Amino acid sequence: MTVTVTRMAREVGRNLRRMSRSRAPVDDNGEIWRRFATLETTMAGCRGGSDAVQWYKTLATRDEALRPLISDAVERFLAVYRAGILLPMPQDGVILDIGAGCGLFAVLAALLHPAKTIRAFEPDEDLCALVRAALSELGLVTVELVCAAVVPAGTPDKANRLDIFEDTVFRSVGTTGAQQVKVMTVADMPLNADAPIALLKITAPGMTLPLAHELAGRTHALLAEVWQVDYAAPDHPVLAALIDRMPMACVRDAESAVLYKTTAADRTGRVKSGWSTAIIPGRAGPLISVIVPTYNIGDLIEPCVESLIASIDRPTEILVINDGATQKETLASLKKVAGMAHTRVIDKPNGGCASARNFGLQVAAGKFVTLIDGDDLVEPAFLPLLSEAIHIQGTNIAEIGFADYMMDSGRIKDIPEPYAETAASRGILGYDSNLWSLLRRQPAIWRRLYRTDWLRQNGLTFPESLKAYDDMEFQFLSLYLNGGVAYANTRGYLYRKDRPGQDVAASDTRHFGTFQMLVTIENFLRNRRAHRDHFVMFDLFALDCLAWSYSLINPRLHVPFLDAARTFLLGGKSFERAANVHWEITRQIGSATSNFARDFCAEIPDRHALQLVHDRVAHYADHVYDYHFPLEVSG
């Protein structure tokens, strides 16, 4: 490959320099190599992706005349095109690349969607030669290259002379000014008049909007960039109207670097049946593993799996972990589920929900994993939007909105998110790094998608010694280590709250397991020598957990629970930290958690009393387990 690339770089570079106006190439201070590193990560799992990236990297290394053009192509792919090309698209229809340039987009699109035909149009003969060399070297046969410029209908005939728009990149390689090229209109393209277009990518300064409007009626997704020459009004009314017509669009204003995307309604309303997906993994395995632990929940597992299947739009495996179910109705339902598409039922001895989740994490083959409760339901947008969010943000965790669901009455109550206001103005997809609010929210691991190798690298599993609420520890540690979460701000998960026997409604000694969970997290932060502010966040999290348990636990357990709470919150900590905790609890007297705050402070009304209690209370690590499942409570 190196010999071919070297020869091609010399030939194309020589031609570009001959065309140039003796301007020096643009120096991007090495940014191109950082961009290539990101591109290599993006394409690492795609078969042939690393070879393609290396081909263009070698080309940029060999000749400085080509370097700014390739750097620009890589930057545009990462910033504008990547999100759209990684999404599923209709099986029917071709991918159109108008303004192929050095061919980077066409090449990567062919690798990511090998079943698609890509028709690429580029007027510059030297760049077309470069693209043909790339296609030949990489063995890509699904790209049809046409050496011509596509222009809107009604463009004046200038004897096939096209004025190339002049910006920093084009100017640096000398491809500006009037060039003798072949010109064709949309009607002249080798494409049936009514043929659907799965994805339309346009890089055609001065012609982007009219070309997009001509093709909008049969286009599913649009990826493009507009320059000042494309529009007159600063508020982009034409662009806004165009994007409103598209099921999916991502258009960047080259002048302001602002991205204009489709609305939330468009994204969640997509039809996923009969869609093809980007081939991200370099293996035949699934992209997503869905883990569904189940134990004696009757036939509720059937609608759960059916809703998951309706949400699938890319290679996915559903792993139903049978945690030693004994109920006849449950066993009969599991037999039915085993015959459903994408689904595998795996039996294991009973060990509890945490054990079933950990087993699923061990056998999961997907690059991403989600953990679903077997009695819940998901919306059709659940998996598509989670996948989209985690890919676009390039993070390890993504979440989607959820609602409490009462199956008997059909009542659905949406739970508001702390980033809802931001999402309303910036779009359905985003990223929230406010750990102060994230760590204090209701445990909701089941509405999230995680990067599998990241979980394994950090040893994130569920504590099997806990008989309930094992998800609280997992949620805190995963969000803390990731530093935030990507989100899709729309409802995607229905959390059932009316099934008899749910842990969420328990009032027995299982609540004492909360202390074991809190001790684990406290020690985790101490071992990491976490910043003081992180302990403050943790103390607020601990107060929320304990107040919630206190509101549910049997009143006969209030005294030992309060004793354990005082031991944990005050023991083994500096007086300053204990005083901060006490101050926060006193602030909550009279609030929704006032019972816990009032009873906790009954024996510690002021700072003097706090000092006395702090001096005599045992260290939490030595005595807090005294109340871990010690009592049997009836009634």
Side-chain angles (χ1 to χ4, degrees):
M1 179 189 297
T2 302
V3 175
T4 303
V5 173
T6 302
R7 185 170 59 251
M8 177 56 59
R10 289 173 179 170
E11 180 180 345
V12 176
R14 185 168 53 250
N15 292 338
L16 290 175
R17 283 191 295 273
R18 187 183 65 248
M19 294 166 54
S20 70
R21 304 174 185 176
S22 301
R23 293 186 178 96
V26 173
D27 182 7
D28 63 359
N29 295 318
E31 183 63 31
I32 183 174
W33 312 124
R34 290 187 287 272
R35 292 171 181 169
F36 266 118
T38 303
L39 186 62
E40 287 172 348
T41 301
T42 300
M43 298 298 296
C46 175
R47 186 175 289 109
S50 296
D51 290 340
V53 175
Q54 186 60 43
W55 197 91
Y56 279 98
K57 188 175 182 180
T58 303
L59 197 63
T61 303
R62 299 290 181 180
D63 199 297
E64 291 185 357
L66 289 172
R67 191 173 301 162
L69 184 71
I70 295 174
S71 178
D72 178 69
V74 174
E75 186 279 334
R76 191 175 285 117
F77 181 88
L78 294 174
V80 186
Y81 307 149
R82 175 172 54 171
I85 198 66
L86 291 177
L87 295 179
M89 62 182 68
Q91 288 183 350
D92 295 333
V94 300
I95 296 176
L96 285 190
D97 181 1
I98 298 177
C102 64
L104 181 77
F105 176 85
V107 166
L108 299 186
L111 292 170
L112 290 166
H113 296 274
K116 286 287 184 190
T117 296
I118 293 93
R119 289 198 170 95
F121 301 85
E122 170 54 46
D124 189 290
E125 293 183 359
D126 291 306
L127 292 180
C128 283
L130 188 155
V131 177
R132 291 191 186 98
L135 299 177
S136 174
E137 185 68 26
L138 297 169
L140 299 175
V141 297
T142 57
V143 179
E144 300 174 4
L145 179 64
V146 179
C147 189
V150 181
V151 299
T155 300
D157 185 2
K158 297 183 179 180
N160 285 341
R161 291 184 69 80
L162 187 68
D163 286 328
I164 305 298
F165 177 69
E166 186 170 313
D167 82 344
T168 303
V169 173
F170 298 133
R171 184 189 313 121
S172 70
V173 296
T175 57
T176 59
Q179 303 293 328
Q180 190 76 27
V181 299
K182 180 181 179 181
V183 175
M184 64 172 57
T185 64
V186 170
D188 299 326
M189 289 194 304
L191 190 69
N192 294 334
D194 58 348
I197 300 171
L199 179 64
L200 171 62
K201 171 260 179 185
I202 305 178
T203 308
M207 302 179 187
T208 301
L209 294 180
L211 284 174
H213 273 289
E214 281 193 58
L215 296 166
R218 47 181 166 149
T219 298
H220 169 76
L222 170 67
L223 302 175
E225 189 158 29
V226 292
W227 284 260
Q228 192 169 359
V229 71
D230 285 302
Y231 58 84
D235 57 350
H236 295 294
V238 177
L239 179 57
L242 173 65
I243 290 179
D244 284 344
R245 299 175 60 188
M246 297 287 183
M248 202 294 289
C250 183
V251 180
R252 182 172 67 175
D253 181 348
E255 313 297 330
S256 64
V258 173
L259 281 175
Y260 296 83
K261 301 179 182 180
T262 44
T263 64
D266 290 329
R267 289 179 182 273
T268 55
R270 297 177 306 180
V271 178
K272 294 172 293 304
S273 58
W275 282 30
S276 67
T277 60
I279 308 301
I280 305 299
R283 59 183 189 279
L287 180 64
I288 298 175
S289 295
V290 182
I291 299 172
V292 189
T294 183
Y295 173 78
N296 289 353
I297 59 171
D299 61 356
L300 295 179
I301 187 63
E302 295 177 48
C304 174
V305 173
E306 289 169 351
S307 70
L308 284 166
I309 293 173
S311 179
I312 290 175
D313 71 336
R314 60 202 68 200
T316 299
E317 64 173 359
I318 301 174
L319 305 176
V320 178
I321 311 301
N322 173 24
D323 190 39
T326 58
Q327 195 180 71
K328 289 185 178 179
E329 188 177 14
T330 300
L331 295 174
S333 289
L334 288 174
K335 288 185 179 180
K336 295 179 182 178
V337 165
M340 294 182 181
H342 311 284
T343 306
R344 185 156 57 108
V345 176
I346 305 176
D347 299 324
K348 65 175 287 294
N350 179 255
C353 184
S355 171
R357 285 169 170 162
N358 287 339
F359 183 82
L361 289 174
Q362 291 175 12
V363 301
K367 182 177 181 180
F368 302 98
V369 63
T370 183
L371 302 119
I372 307 299
D373 284 355
D375 55 350
D376 294 338
L377 301 172
V378 303
E379 302 273 17
F382 179 72
L383 290 176
L385 286 183
L386 281 177
S387 301
E388 188 172 340
I390 206 166
H391 274 115
I392 289 176
Q393 299 299 332
T395 186
N396 302 302
I397 309 175
E399 71 178 24
I400 197 169
F402 75 100
D404 289 340
Y405 176 49
M406 309 298 287
M407 183 173 288
D408 291 342
S409 65
R411 185 173 66 87
I412 296 176
K413 179 185 177 183
D414 286 306
I415 306 301
E417 303 293 348
Y419 43 72
E421 185 174 344
T422 300
S425 60
R426 297 187 181 179
I428 184 175
L429 301 180
Y431 189 85
D432 188 0
S433 58
N434 185 355
L435 287 177
W436 289 85
S437 64
L438 288 175
L439 294 177
R440 299 186 67 182
R441 292 189 297 165
Q442 172 184 341
I445 62 160
W446 22 258
R447 48 88 167 250
R448 297 194 177 106
L449 185 69
Y450 303 87
R451 193 177 295 273
T452 310
D453 59 358
W454 179 79
L455 290 179
R456 290 169 176 165
Q457 289 165 7
N458 285 280
L460 289 171
T461 58
F462 294 85
E464 298 183 18
S465 59
L466 297 185
K467 303 304 180 184
Y469 316 123
D470 54 274
D471 53 349
M472 291 195 292
E473 177 182 316
F474 184 90
Q475 170 161 300
F476 185 97
L477 295 179
S478 60
L479 291 178
Y480 178 84
L481 288 171
N482 196 50
V485 62
Y487 63 76
N489 187 44
T490 187
R491 184 205 302 159
Y493 194 96
L494 299 178
Y495 177 61
R496 180 165 177 171
K497 298 194 71 173
D498 59 351
R499 180 175 65 84
Q502 284 180 297
D503 288 341
V504 71
S507 62
D508 55 24
T509 56
R510 281 177 286 182
H511 283 280
F512 284 95
T514 301
F515 295 107
Q516 180 180 343
M517 176 269 294
L518 294 175
V519 167
T520 299
I521 298 176
E522 169 92 19
N523 290 334
F524 168 84
L525 294 175
R526 291 189 178 207
N527 290 336
R528 290 177 63 90
R529 299 182 182 276
H531 190 273
R532 176 182 179 277
D533 287 348
H534 295 182
F535 283 100
V536 175
M537 286 192 299
F538 169 67
D539 287 339
L540 295 175
F541 166 79
L543 288 178
D544 292 340
C545 293
L546 296 176
W548 177 76
S549 285
Y550 194 76
S551 69
L552 295 175
I553 202 168
N554 191 301
R556 293 175 58 188
L557 295 173
H558 277 182
V559 171
F561 189 89
L562 283 171
D563 189 12
R566 294 188 185 102
T567 298
F568 175 77
L569 292 173
L570 304 179
K573 299 175 174 63
S574 68
F575 180 74
E576 178 188 10
R577 184 177 169 194
N580 287 336
V581 171
H582 182 262
W583 177 81
E584 180 64 31
I585 296 175
T586 59
R587 288 179 63 244
Q588 296 180 8
I589 296 177
S591 68
T593 56
S594 60
N595 288 344
F596 175 74
R598 181 198 63 217
D599 295 347
F600 184 94
C601 294
E603 297 180 12
I604 317 174
D606 53 33
R607 189 177 181 88
H608 176 70
L610 174 65
Q611 182 72 64
L612 295 176
V613 173
H614 178 266
D615 291 344
R616 72 168 186 269
V617 74
H619 191 281
Y620 70 91
D622 296 329
H623 295 279
V624 77
Y625 293 116
D626 289 351
Y627 298 104
H628 185 49
F629 307 122
L631 307 171
E632 293 297 330
V633 180
S634 60

